[in-house]
Amino acid sequence: MEAQQHRPSRNRRIGRILILAGVAVWIPYFALKLAGNDPALGLFLPFHLAGVIPGSILSRWRQLKRLLGRT
């Protein structure tokens, strides 16, 4: 029998992608800041949080289910 490779679940992969997208929002923010502009934080923060919060929940879904007592 061939050894199975450890492969993250679909939720974990999608969660990681969402976290990456949420963190990547800051790239244009800092690019604008370095260019001398004054970008409004309020335009970038909601997109950051919209990726990071659900991404962190999805990537830890198994642990959260166990914590809440659901199998």
Side-chain angles (χ1 to χ4, degrees):
M1 186 175 227
E2 203 174 299
Q4 287 184 328
Q5 292 179 347
H6 175 68
R7 196 172 132 205
S9 70
R10 183 177 179 194
N11 283 346
R12 181 170 276 178
R13 283 193 314 267
I14 293 171
R16 288 179 180 172
I17 291 169
L18 284 171
I19 291 171
L20 248 169
V23 171
V25 166
W26 296 112
I27 294 171
Y29 174 82
F30 286 113
L32 288 169
K33 196 92 163 148
L34 288 172
N37 294 324
D38 191 23
L41 185 64
L43 296 175
F44 293 88
L45 187 60
F47 293 103
H48 166 74
L49 295 175
V52 171
I53 292 173
S56 63
I57 291 170
L58 274 176
S59 67
R60 292 168 183 83
W61 188 248
R62 284 185 185 165
Q63 293 90 348
L64 290 172
K65 278 178 35 177
R66 237 187 338 251
L67 181 68
L68 295 174
R70 297 183 178 114
T71 56

